[in-house]
């Protein structure tokens, strides 16, 4: 019987990944729409919390302001990237040639030999600046082409969200069980909003400070690197390393000496350490950072499935899943295994022992054989 269950589970996993690959053109816009929907709701709720004496903005006005904010940000981003991508694609081969020449000039680089290839050749093949630039431009164009579908998904998500509370009430007919279910949803929502809010703040701060630093020292396309550093900062550990090394390599490619390379390497590295290792943990409490091995496997898997957009989306979504898993005793071990240090921000005494995740019989009407246990940690 166990063999049959394992076979069915393996078949289901293979089927899911097959559908993700085949249905990329439909599912990727849906994931982007869900992310935008959640961010718009979060920002609207943030506007609603603002109080001026006894006055508080109406929720309808808060949603309008949130829509307008994201609309302006997306419009500015599209205009900025559209104006600069041609320059980046034009200069990328020059940077690649300069980087190869600079690496060949280093005396100890070609000591090793791997399959009749020097280390310089291996490094320059791995760091293919024109290929990376074309891939990013292609991904950006693909997302723009799916803009209409994303807007359709977004509209239906906002139409459906008003019915979510009614669905919970219909699913859970017992009053006490309904309160427990809503308590779970509220706590998970608060943790996810806190994570997203702090991460957006620290990523924006890292990108802005890095942009200012790169602009001052004279690195080309400082604004592009500021944007990429902002996005890469959502990927724990691995993103910070990439956001430090690649601007330094660009500085090496555009300058004659090594002073600019070392200055950028140390400067961006210091920004990453101060914000990512000092400020962010203080704001977060205990970190929800994932294990570096989990991150690498996740990036490789989703990069294969959905290319560059999948790599940027996968880690924040996996951290959100980790937050959800950490709230339930039955799934908490999985969250611990995914975490970097085994320390979760949700303490054991605040997990839900009364509402069993995955045991749907607790959602049945009164009279079932397994009544829900009392929550001993109220308040």
């Amino acid at each position: 019987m166990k063999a049959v269950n394992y076979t069915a589970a393996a078949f289901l996993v293979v089927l899911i990944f097959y559908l993700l690959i085949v249905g990329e053109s439909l599912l990727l816009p849906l994931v982007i729409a869900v992310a935008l929907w959640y961010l718009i709701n979060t920002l609207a709720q943030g506007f609603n919390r603002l109080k001026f004496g006894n006055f508080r903005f109406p929720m309808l006005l808060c949603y309008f302001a949130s829509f307008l904010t994201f609309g302006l940000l997306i419009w500015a981003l599209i205009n900025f990237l559209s104006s600069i991508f041609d320059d980046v694609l034009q200069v990328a081969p020059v940077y690649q040639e300069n980087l190869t020449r600079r690496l060949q000039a280093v005396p100890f680089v070609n000591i090793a030999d791997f399959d009749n290839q020097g280390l310089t050749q291996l490094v320059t093949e791995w760091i293919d600046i024109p290929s990376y630039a074309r891939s990013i431009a292609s991904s950006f164009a693909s997302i723009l082409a799916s803009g209409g579908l994303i807007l359709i998904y977004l509209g239906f998500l906002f139409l459906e969200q008003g019915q979510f509370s009614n669905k919970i009430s219909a699913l859970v007919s017992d009053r006490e069980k309904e309160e427990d279910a809503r308590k779970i949803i509220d706590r998970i929502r608060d943790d996810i909003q806190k994570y997203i809010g702090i991460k957006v703040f620290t990523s924006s701060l890292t990108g802005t400070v890095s942009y200012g630093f790169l602009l001052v020292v004279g690195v080309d396309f400082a604004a592009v690197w500021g944007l990429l550093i902002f996005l890469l900062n959502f990927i724990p550990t691995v993103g910070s390393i990439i956001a430090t090394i690649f601007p330094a390599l660009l500085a090496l490619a555009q300058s004659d000496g090594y002073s600019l390379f070392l200055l950028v390497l140390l400067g961006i590295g210091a920004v990453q350490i101060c914000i990512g290792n000092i400020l962010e943990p203080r704001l977060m409490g205990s970190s929800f950072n994932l294990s570096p091995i989990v991150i690498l496997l996740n990036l490789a898997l989703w990069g294969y499935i959905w290319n560059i957009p999948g790599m940027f989306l996968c880690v924040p979504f996996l951290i959100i899943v980790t937050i959800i898993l950490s709230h339930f005793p039955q799934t908490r071990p999985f969250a611990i295994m995914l975490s970097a240090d085994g320390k979760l921000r949700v303490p054991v005494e605040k997990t839900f022992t009364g509402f069993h995740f995955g045991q749907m019989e607790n959602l049945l009407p009164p009279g079932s054989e397994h009544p829900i246990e009392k929550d001993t940690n109220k308040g």
Side-chain angles (χ1 to χ4, degrees), residues 157-188:
L157 284 170
F158 276 103
L159 288 174
E160 285 284 330
Q161 77 174 32
Q163 304 300 322
F164 182 72
S165 179
N166 295 334
K167 291 179 181 179
I168 293 293
S169 299
L171 182 64
V172 187
S173 56
D174 183 84
R175 182 71 176 176
E176 184 178 353
K177 296 174 187 177
E178 181 180 345
E179 291 178 358
D180 287 338
R182 293 185 186 279
K183 190 188 300 182
I184 295 173
I185 294 170
D186 288 343
R187 285 194 185 176
I188 291 174

PDB file of all heavy atoms in Angstrom, residues 157-188:
ATOM      1  N   LEU A 157      -9.139  38.645  -9.410  1.00  0.00           N
ATOM      2  CA  LEU A 157      -8.722  38.433  -8.020  1.00  0.00           C
ATOM      3  C   LEU A 157      -9.387  39.444  -7.090  1.00  0.00           C
ATOM      4  O   LEU A 157      -9.831  39.102  -5.989  1.00  0.00           O
ATOM      5  CB  LEU A 157      -7.199  38.538  -7.918  1.00  0.00           C
ATOM      6  CG  LEU A 157      -6.404  37.343  -8.438  1.00  0.00           C
ATOM      7  CD1 LEU A 157      -4.920  37.672  -8.503  1.00  0.00           C
ATOM      8  CD2 LEU A 157      -6.621  36.120  -7.551  1.00  0.00           C
ATOM      9  N   PHE A 158      -9.482  40.695  -7.528  1.00  0.00           N
ATOM     10  CA  PHE A 158     -10.130  41.708  -6.696  1.00  0.00           C
ATOM     11  C   PHE A 158     -11.643  41.492  -6.628  1.00  0.00           C
ATOM     12  O   PHE A 158     -12.269  41.796  -5.607  1.00  0.00           O
ATOM     13  CB  PHE A 158      -9.811  43.107  -7.227  1.00  0.00           C
ATOM     14  CG  PHE A 158      -8.506  43.640  -6.729  1.00  0.00           C
ATOM     15  CD1 PHE A 158      -7.393  43.655  -7.553  1.00  0.00           C
ATOM     16  CD2 PHE A 158      -8.374  44.096  -5.429  1.00  0.00           C
ATOM     17  CE1 PHE A 158      -6.180  44.135  -7.094  1.00  0.00           C
ATOM     18  CE2 PHE A 158      -7.161  44.575  -4.952  1.00  0.00           C
ATOM     19  CZ  PHE A 158      -6.056  44.605  -5.796  1.00  0.00           C
ATOM     20  N   LEU A 159     -12.228  40.970  -7.696  1.00  0.00           N
ATOM     21  CA  LEU A 159     -13.649  40.648  -7.650  1.00  0.00           C
ATOM     22  C   LEU A 159     -13.936  39.492  -6.690  1.00  0.00           C
ATOM     23  O   LEU A 159     -14.967  39.466  -6.015  1.00  0.00           O
ATOM     24  CB  LEU A 159     -14.153  40.298  -9.050  1.00  0.00           C
ATOM     25  CG  LEU A 159     -14.270  41.460 -10.047  1.00  0.00           C
ATOM     26  CD1 LEU A 159     -14.645  40.937 -11.434  1.00  0.00           C
ATOM     27  CD2 LEU A 159     -15.281  42.495  -9.570  1.00  0.00           C
ATOM     28  N   GLU A 160     -13.002  38.540  -6.607  1.00  0.00           N
ATOM     29  CA  GLU A 160     -13.201  37.357  -5.771  1.00  0.00           C
ATOM     30  C   GLU A 160     -12.888  37.601  -4.304  1.00  0.00           C
ATOM     31  O   GLU A 160     -13.425  36.917  -3.437  1.00  0.00           O
ATOM     32  CB  GLU A 160     -12.320  36.210  -6.282  1.00  0.00           C
ATOM     33  CG  GLU A 160     -12.810  35.555  -7.557  1.00  0.00           C
ATOM     34  CD  GLU A 160     -13.994  34.639  -7.301  1.00  0.00           C
ATOM     35  OE1 GLU A 160     -14.091  34.070  -6.197  1.00  0.00           O
ATOM     36  OE2 GLU A 160     -14.837  34.507  -8.208  1.00  0.00           O
ATOM     37  N   GLN A 161     -12.012  38.579  -3.995  1.00  0.00           N
ATOM     38  CA  GLN A 161     -11.528  38.690  -2.623  1.00  0.00           C
ATOM     39  C   GLN A 161     -12.634  39.054  -1.637  1.00  0.00           C
ATOM     40  O   GLN A 161     -12.558  38.710  -0.457  1.00  0.00           O
ATOM     41  CB  GLN A 161     -10.386  39.704  -2.545  1.00  0.00           C
ATOM     42  CG  GLN A 161     -10.809  41.160  -2.583  1.00  0.00           C
ATOM     43  CD  GLN A 161      -9.620  42.079  -2.364  1.00  0.00           C
ATOM     44  OE1 GLN A 161      -8.505  41.782  -2.732  1.00  0.00           O
ATOM     45  NE2 GLN A 161      -9.868  43.223  -1.742  1.00  0.00           N
ATOM     46  N   GLY A 162     -13.681  39.710  -2.083  1.00  0.00           N
ATOM     47  CA  GLY A 162     -14.770  40.047  -1.179  1.00  0.00           C
ATOM     48  C   GLY A 162     -15.580  38.849  -0.730  1.00  0.00           C
ATOM     49  O   GLY A 162     -16.310  38.923   0.273  1.00  0.00           O
ATOM     50  N   GLN A 163     -15.456  37.727  -1.459  1.00  0.00           N
ATOM     51  CA  GLN A 163     -16.215  36.523  -1.126  1.00  0.00           C
ATOM     52  C   GLN A 163     -15.426  35.544  -0.260  1.00  0.00           C
ATOM     53  O   GLN A 163     -15.954  34.511   0.124  1.00  0.00           O
ATOM     54  CB  GLN A 163     -16.653  35.815  -2.419  1.00  0.00           C
ATOM     55  CG  GLN A 163     -17.458  36.684  -3.369  1.00  0.00           C
ATOM     56  CD  GLN A 163     -18.739  37.180  -2.724  1.00  0.00           C
ATOM     57  OE1 GLN A 163     -19.393  36.461  -1.971  1.00  0.00           O
ATOM     58  NE2 GLN A 163     -19.109  38.430  -3.025  1.00  0.00           N
ATOM     59  N   PHE A 164     -14.158  35.876   0.023  1.00  0.00           N
ATOM     60  CA  PHE A 164     -13.330  34.926   0.762  1.00  0.00           C
ATOM     61  C   PHE A 164     -13.877  34.678   2.163  1.00  0.00           C
ATOM     62  O   PHE A 164     -13.911  33.543   2.643  1.00  0.00           O
ATOM     63  CB  PHE A 164     -11.891  35.447   0.834  1.00  0.00           C
ATOM     64  CG  PHE A 164     -10.946  34.507   1.530  1.00  0.00           C
ATOM     65  CD1 PHE A 164     -10.553  33.329   0.927  1.00  0.00           C
ATOM     66  CD2 PHE A 164     -10.446  34.804   2.790  1.00  0.00           C
ATOM     67  CE1 PHE A 164      -9.682  32.459   1.565  1.00  0.00           C
ATOM     68  CE2 PHE A 164      -9.591  33.950   3.433  1.00  0.00           C
ATOM     69  CZ  PHE A 164      -9.196  32.765   2.813  1.00  0.00           C
ATOM     70  N   SER A 165     -14.328  35.738   2.832  1.00  0.00           N
ATOM     71  CA  SER A 165     -14.869  35.586   4.188  1.00  0.00           C
ATOM     72  C   SER A 165     -16.116  34.708   4.184  1.00  0.00           C
ATOM     73  O   SER A 165     -16.307  33.875   5.078  1.00  0.00           O
ATOM     74  CB  SER A 165     -15.191  36.963   4.780  1.00  0.00           C
ATOM     75  OG  SER A 165     -15.729  36.846   6.071  1.00  0.00           O
ATOM     76  N   ASN A 166     -16.966  34.878   3.150  1.00  0.00           N
ATOM     77  CA  ASN A 166     -18.162  34.053   3.055  1.00  0.00           C
ATOM     78  C   ASN A 166     -17.822  32.585   2.827  1.00  0.00           C
ATOM     79  O   ASN A 166     -18.512  31.689   3.322  1.00  0.00           O
ATOM     80  CB  ASN A 166     -19.063  34.559   1.927  1.00  0.00           C
ATOM     81  CG  ASN A 166     -19.605  35.958   2.202  1.00  0.00           C
ATOM     82  OD1 ASN A 166     -19.734  36.354   3.363  1.00  0.00           O
ATOM     83  ND2 ASN A 166     -19.900  36.699   1.152  1.00  0.00           N
ATOM     84  N   LYS A 167     -16.760  32.336   2.061  1.00  0.00           N
ATOM     85  CA  LYS A 167     -16.338  30.959   1.809  1.00  0.00           C
ATOM     86  C   LYS A 167     -15.859  30.288   3.094  1.00  0.00           C
ATOM     87  O   LYS A 167     -16.135  29.106   3.325  1.00  0.00           O
ATOM     88  CB  LYS A 167     -15.230  30.927   0.760  1.00  0.00           C
ATOM     89  CG  LYS A 167     -15.701  31.316  -0.639  1.00  0.00           C
ATOM     90  CD  LYS A 167     -14.557  31.292  -1.635  1.00  0.00           C
ATOM     91  CE  LYS A 167     -15.029  31.709  -3.021  1.00  0.00           C
ATOM     92  NZ  LYS A 167     -13.930  31.707  -4.014  1.00  0.00           N
ATOM     93  N   ILE A 168     -15.147  31.050   3.947  1.00  0.00           N
ATOM     94  CA  ILE A 168     -14.698  30.493   5.228  1.00  0.00           C
ATOM     95  C   ILE A 168     -15.903  30.141   6.094  1.00  0.00           C
ATOM     96  O   ILE A 168     -15.963  29.070   6.711  1.00  0.00           O
ATOM     97  CB  ILE A 168     -13.782  31.491   5.962  1.00  0.00           C
ATOM     98  CG1 ILE A 168     -12.462  31.669   5.202  1.00  0.00           C
ATOM     99  CG2 ILE A 168     -13.509  31.035   7.384  1.00  0.00           C
ATOM    100  CD1 ILE A 168     -11.591  30.439   5.192  1.00  0.00           C
ATOM    101  N   SER A 169     -16.889  31.028   6.126  1.00  0.00           N
ATOM    102  CA  SER A 169     -18.084  30.771   6.931  1.00  0.00           C
ATOM    103  C   SER A 169     -18.852  29.551   6.424  1.00  0.00           C
ATOM    104  O   SER A 169     -19.379  28.760   7.203  1.00  0.00           O
ATOM    105  CB  SER A 169     -18.998  32.002   6.919  1.00  0.00           C
ATOM    106  OG  SER A 169     -18.331  33.116   7.475  1.00  0.00           O
ATOM    107  N   ALA A 170     -18.918  29.399   5.082  1.00  0.00           N
ATOM    108  CA  ALA A 170     -19.627  28.253   4.518  1.00  0.00           C
ATOM    109  C   ALA A 170     -18.862  26.960   4.728  1.00  0.00           C
ATOM    110  O   ALA A 170     -19.452  25.894   4.938  1.00  0.00           O
ATOM    111  CB  ALA A 170     -19.865  28.479   3.023  1.00  0.00           C
ATOM    112  N   LEU A 171     -17.537  27.036   4.707  1.00  0.00           N
ATOM    113  CA  LEU A 171     -16.723  25.833   4.884  1.00  0.00           C
ATOM    114  C   LEU A 171     -16.733  25.373   6.325  1.00  0.00           C
ATOM    115  O   LEU A 171     -16.773  24.169   6.610  1.00  0.00           O
ATOM    116  CB  LEU A 171     -15.289  26.129   4.426  1.00  0.00           C
ATOM    117  CG  LEU A 171     -14.289  24.972   4.488  1.00  0.00           C
ATOM    118  CD1 LEU A 171     -14.684  23.852   3.529  1.00  0.00           C
ATOM    119  CD2 LEU A 171     -12.878  25.468   4.160  1.00  0.00           C
ATOM    120  N   VAL A 172     -16.679  26.315   7.273  1.00  0.00           N
ATOM    121  CA  VAL A 172     -16.632  25.989   8.696  1.00  0.00           C
ATOM    122  C   VAL A 172     -17.969  26.382   9.316  1.00  0.00           C
ATOM    123  O   VAL A 172     -18.223  27.552   9.592  1.00  0.00           O
ATOM    124  CB  VAL A 172     -15.476  26.724   9.405  1.00  0.00           C
ATOM    125  CG1 VAL A 172     -15.342  26.240  10.836  1.00  0.00           C
ATOM    126  CG2 VAL A 172     -14.172  26.529   8.651  1.00  0.00           C
ATOM    127  N   SER A 173     -18.824  25.423   9.536  1.00  0.00           N
ATOM    128  CA  SER A 173     -20.170  25.733  10.023  1.00  0.00           C
ATOM    129  C   SER A 173     -20.214  25.937  11.533  1.00  0.00           C
ATOM    130  O   SER A 173     -21.157  26.503  12.056  1.00  0.00           O
ATOM    131  CB  SER A 173     -21.130  24.604   9.638  1.00  0.00           C
ATOM    132  OG  SER A 173     -20.667  23.367  10.133  1.00  0.00           O
ATOM    133  N   ASP A 174     -19.195  25.470  12.241  1.00  0.00           N
ATOM    134  CA  ASP A 174     -19.162  25.634  13.696  1.00  0.00           C
ATOM    135  C   ASP A 174     -18.508  26.969  14.044  1.00  0.00           C
ATOM    136  O   ASP A 174     -17.456  27.318  13.516  1.00  0.00           O
ATOM    137  CB  ASP A 174     -18.381  24.486  14.336  1.00  0.00           C
ATOM    138  CG  ASP A 174     -18.386  24.584  15.855  1.00  0.00           C
ATOM    139  OD1 ASP A 174     -19.353  24.124  16.475  1.00  0.00           O
ATOM    140  OD2 ASP A 174     -17.407  25.137  16.402  1.00  0.00           O
ATOM    141  N   ARG A 175     -19.125  27.742  14.940  1.00  0.00           N
ATOM    142  CA  ARG A 175     -18.661  29.088  15.274  1.00  0.00           C
ATOM    143  C   ARG A 175     -17.248  29.069  15.854  1.00  0.00           C
ATOM    144  O   ARG A 175     -16.395  29.883  15.484  1.00  0.00           O
ATOM    145  CB  ARG A 175     -19.628  29.713  16.277  1.00  0.00           C
ATOM    146  CG  ARG A 175     -19.288  31.139  16.673  1.00  0.00           C
ATOM    147  CD  ARG A 175     -19.539  32.091  15.527  1.00  0.00           C
ATOM    148  NE  ARG A 175     -19.297  33.462  15.921  1.00  0.00           N
ATOM    149  CZ  ARG A 175     -19.363  34.499  15.092  1.00  0.00           C
ATOM    150  NH1 ARG A 175     -19.671  34.298  13.819  1.00  0.00           N
ATOM    151  NH2 ARG A 175     -19.143  35.726  15.510  1.00  0.00           N
ATOM    152  N   GLU A 176     -16.997  28.133  16.771  1.00  0.00           N
ATOM    153  CA  GLU A 176     -15.688  28.081  17.421  1.00  0.00           C
ATOM    154  C   GLU A 176     -14.601  27.709  16.417  1.00  0.00           C
ATOM    155  O   GLU A 176     -13.506  28.271  16.416  1.00  0.00           O
ATOM    156  CB  GLU A 176     -15.711  27.075  18.572  1.00  0.00           C
ATOM    157  CG  GLU A 176     -14.398  27.032  19.357  1.00  0.00           C
ATOM    158  CD  GLU A 176     -14.473  26.053  20.511  1.00  0.00           C
ATOM    159  OE1 GLU A 176     -15.572  25.522  20.766  1.00  0.00           O
ATOM    160  OE2 GLU A 176     -13.427  25.821  21.149  1.00  0.00           O
ATOM    161  N   LYS A 177     -14.938  26.770  15.530  1.00  0.00           N
ATOM    162  CA  LYS A 177     -13.958  26.382  14.518  1.00  0.00           C
ATOM    163  C   LYS A 177     -13.691  27.526  13.544  1.00  0.00           C
ATOM    164  O   LYS A 177     -12.564  27.721  13.099  1.00  0.00           O
ATOM    165  CB  LYS A 177     -14.474  25.154  13.759  1.00  0.00           C
ATOM    166  CG  LYS A 177     -14.637  23.914  14.608  1.00  0.00           C
ATOM    167  CD  LYS A 177     -15.285  22.813  13.794  1.00  0.00           C
ATOM    168  CE  LYS A 177     -15.624  21.612  14.672  1.00  0.00           C
ATOM    169  NZ  LYS A 177     -16.313  20.556  13.905  1.00  0.00           N
ATOM    170  N   GLU A 178     -14.728  28.275  13.242  1.00  0.00           N
ATOM    171  CA  GLU A 178     -14.558  29.412  12.338  1.00  0.00           C
ATOM    172  C   GLU A 178     -13.629  30.460  12.956  1.00  0.00           C
ATOM    173  O   GLU A 178     -12.763  31.033  12.280  1.00  0.00           O
ATOM    174  CB  GLU A 178     -15.916  30.027  12.015  1.00  0.00           C
ATOM    175  CG  GLU A 178     -15.820  31.198  11.052  1.00  0.00           C
ATOM    176  CD  GLU A 178     -17.182  31.794  10.750  1.00  0.00           C
ATOM    177  OE1 GLU A 178     -18.209  31.138  11.044  1.00  0.00           O
ATOM    178  OE2 GLU A 178     -17.216  32.927  10.215  1.00  0.00           O
ATOM    179  N   GLU A 179     -13.794  30.721  14.266  1.00  0.00           N
ATOM    180  CA  GLU A 179     -12.910  31.669  14.937  1.00  0.00           C
ATOM    181  C   GLU A 179     -11.472  31.188  14.933  1.00  0.00           C
ATOM    182  O   GLU A 179     -10.536  31.978  14.730  1.00  0.00           O
ATOM    183  CB  GLU A 179     -13.390  31.899  16.372  1.00  0.00           C
ATOM    184  CG  GLU A 179     -14.709  32.659  16.464  1.00  0.00           C
ATOM    185  CD  GLU A 179     -15.172  32.827  17.890  1.00  0.00           C
ATOM    186  OE1 GLU A 179     -14.476  32.310  18.795  1.00  0.00           O
ATOM    187  OE2 GLU A 179     -16.221  33.473  18.094  1.00  0.00           O
ATOM    188  N   ASP A 180     -11.256  29.873  15.157  1.00  0.00           N
ATOM    189  CA  ASP A 180      -9.899  29.323  15.112  1.00  0.00           C
ATOM    190  C   ASP A 180      -9.296  29.462  13.716  1.00  0.00           C
ATOM    191  O   ASP A 180      -8.120  29.805  13.564  1.00  0.00           O
ATOM    192  CB  ASP A 180      -9.914  27.850  15.524  1.00  0.00           C
ATOM    193  CG  ASP A 180     -10.144  27.664  17.014  1.00  0.00           C
ATOM    194  OD1 ASP A 180      -9.870  28.626  17.759  1.00  0.00           O
ATOM    195  OD2 ASP A 180     -10.603  26.589  17.421  1.00  0.00           O
ATOM    196  N   ALA A 181     -10.107  29.194  12.692  1.00  0.00           N
ATOM    197  CA  ALA A 181      -9.615  29.306  11.318  1.00  0.00           C
ATOM    198  C   ALA A 181      -9.239  30.747  10.992  1.00  0.00           C
ATOM    199  O   ALA A 181      -8.196  31.005  10.375  1.00  0.00           O
ATOM    200  CB  ALA A 181     -10.673  28.800  10.345  1.00  0.00           C
ATOM    201  N   ARG A 182     -10.080  31.687  11.408  1.00  0.00           N
ATOM    202  CA  ARG A 182      -9.778  33.098  11.142  1.00  0.00           C
ATOM    203  C   ARG A 182      -8.548  33.561  11.923  1.00  0.00           C
ATOM    204  O   ARG A 182      -7.789  34.408  11.455  1.00  0.00           O
ATOM    205  CB  ARG A 182     -10.991  33.961  11.481  1.00  0.00           C
ATOM    206  CG  ARG A 182     -12.181  33.727  10.557  1.00  0.00           C
ATOM    207  CD  ARG A 182     -13.315  34.681  10.852  1.00  0.00           C
ATOM    208  NE  ARG A 182     -14.481  34.361  10.064  1.00  0.00           N
ATOM    209  CZ  ARG A 182     -14.649  34.722   8.785  1.00  0.00           C
ATOM    210  NH1 ARG A 182     -13.703  35.417   8.177  1.00  0.00           N
ATOM    211  NH2 ARG A 182     -15.746  34.387   8.130  1.00  0.00           N
ATOM    212  N   LYS A 183      -8.377  33.012  13.129  1.00  0.00           N
ATOM    213  CA  LYS A 183      -7.207  33.368  13.926  1.00  0.00           C
ATOM    214  C   LYS A 183      -5.922  32.919  13.223  1.00  0.00           C
ATOM    215  O   LYS A 183      -4.923  33.648  13.178  1.00  0.00           O
ATOM    216  CB  LYS A 183      -7.301  32.722  15.303  1.00  0.00           C
ATOM    217  CG  LYS A 183      -6.257  33.236  16.295  1.00  0.00           C
ATOM    218  CD  LYS A 183      -6.271  32.437  17.580  1.00  0.00           C
ATOM    219  CE  LYS A 183      -7.632  32.500  18.266  1.00  0.00           C
ATOM    220  NZ  LYS A 183      -7.600  31.750  19.538  1.00  0.00           N
ATOM    221  N   ILE A 184      -5.955  31.705  12.665  1.00  0.00           N
ATOM    222  CA  ILE A 184      -4.805  31.213  11.916  1.00  0.00           C
ATOM    223  C   ILE A 184      -4.512  32.122  10.734  1.00  0.00           C
ATOM    224  O   ILE A 184      -3.372  32.540  10.510  1.00  0.00           O
ATOM    225  CB  ILE A 184      -5.066  29.773  11.413  1.00  0.00           C
ATOM    226  CG1 ILE A 184      -5.201  28.816  12.596  1.00  0.00           C
ATOM    227  CG2 ILE A 184      -3.939  29.299  10.501  1.00  0.00           C
ATOM    228  CD1 ILE A 184      -5.623  27.412  12.191  1.00  0.00           C
ATOM    229  N   ILE A 185      -5.546  32.437   9.958  1.00  0.00           N
ATOM    230  CA  ILE A 185      -5.372  33.260   8.763  1.00  0.00           C
ATOM    231  C   ILE A 185      -4.834  34.638   9.125  1.00  0.00           C
ATOM    232  O   ILE A 185      -3.941  35.175   8.454  1.00  0.00           O
ATOM    233  CB  ILE A 185      -6.705  33.368   8.002  1.00  0.00           C
ATOM    234  CG1 ILE A 185      -7.111  31.995   7.459  1.00  0.00           C
ATOM    235  CG2 ILE A 185      -6.606  34.377   6.864  1.00  0.00           C
ATOM    236  CD1 ILE A 185      -8.524  31.939   6.913  1.00  0.00           C
ATOM    237  N   ASP A 186      -5.351  35.233  10.228  1.00  0.00           N
ATOM    238  CA  ASP A 186      -4.915  36.572  10.629  1.00  0.00           C
ATOM    239  C   ASP A 186      -3.446  36.578  11.041  1.00  0.00           C
ATOM    240  O   ASP A 186      -2.692  37.481  10.659  1.00  0.00           O
ATOM    241  CB  ASP A 186      -5.776  37.085  11.775  1.00  0.00           C
ATOM    242  CG  ASP A 186      -7.185  37.440  11.319  1.00  0.00           C
ATOM    243  OD1 ASP A 186      -7.382  37.594  10.097  1.00  0.00           O
ATOM    244  OD2 ASP A 186      -8.086  37.525  12.177  1.00  0.00           O
ATOM    245  N   ARG A 187      -3.032  35.578  11.807  1.00  0.00           N
ATOM    246  CA  ARG A 187      -1.635  35.542  12.257  1.00  0.00           C
ATOM    247  C   ARG A 187      -0.687  35.299  11.090  1.00  0.00           C
ATOM    248  O   ARG A 187       0.384  35.923  11.001  1.00  0.00           O
ATOM    249  CB  ARG A 187      -1.452  34.464  13.331  1.00  0.00           C
ATOM    250  CG  ARG A 187      -2.018  34.855  14.683  1.00  0.00           C
ATOM    251  CD  ARG A 187      -1.505  33.912  15.757  1.00  0.00           C
ATOM    252  NE  ARG A 187      -2.122  34.182  17.046  1.00  0.00           N
ATOM    253  CZ  ARG A 187      -1.919  33.456  18.139  1.00  0.00           C
ATOM    254  NH1 ARG A 187      -1.130  32.401  18.085  1.00  0.00           N
ATOM    255  NH2 ARG A 187      -2.510  33.761  19.278  1.00  0.00           N
ATOM    256  N   ILE A 188      -1.053  34.394  10.202  1.00  0.00           N
ATOM    257  CA  ILE A 188      -0.216  34.141   9.028  1.00  0.00           C
ATOM    258  C   ILE A 188      -0.137  35.395   8.165  1.00  0.00           C
ATOM    259  O   ILE A 188       0.944  35.771   7.682  1.00  0.00           O
ATOM    260  CB  ILE A 188      -0.770  32.949   8.222  1.00  0.00           C
ATOM    261  CG1 ILE A 188      -0.588  31.653   9.018  1.00  0.00           C
ATOM    262  CG2 ILE A 188      -0.069  32.831   6.869  1.00  0.00           C
ATOM    263  CD1 ILE A 188      -1.226  30.446   8.365  1.00  0.00           C
TER     264      ILE A 188
END
